Amino acid sequence: MDIRTFVVLSAGQAGFHPSKRQPLPGAQKVWEGVRILWTSIIGHSAMREWIKDNETTRT
């Protein structure tokens, strides 16, 4: 994935839809998308840790 694709996809998480007049998002939408992505990564990591902890206590 190149940087342009990452920028458009991450801004898409914040509600950006590319058009002919505005093919690239602004800085605010990019940072909102990155914040949403980062929150999802932290949540996923926390869930993996929780599952790992519960598997060891179950057996």
Side-chain angles (χ1 to χ4, degrees):
M1 177 182 314
D2 63 342
I3 189 69
R4 183 184 182 111
T5 305
F6 174 77
V7 166
V8 172
L9 290 176
S10 63
Q13 293 294 318
F16 174 75
H17 302 289
S19 63
K20 287 184 180 181
R21 294 193 71 176
Q22 187 178 8
L24 295 175
Q28 184 173 354
K29 284 294 181 185
V30 172
W31 282 114
E32 287 177 21
V34 169
R35 183 185 53 81
I36 292 168
L37 177 63
W38 185 247
T39 303
S40 299
I41 290 169
I42 291 171
H44 179 63
S45 297
M47 176 154 318
R48 288 183 69 188
E49 286 294 320
W50 183 81
I51 290 171
K52 188 172 82 172
D53 290 344
N54 283 337
E55 284 178 353
T56 58
T57 58
R58 229 186 264 174
T59 58

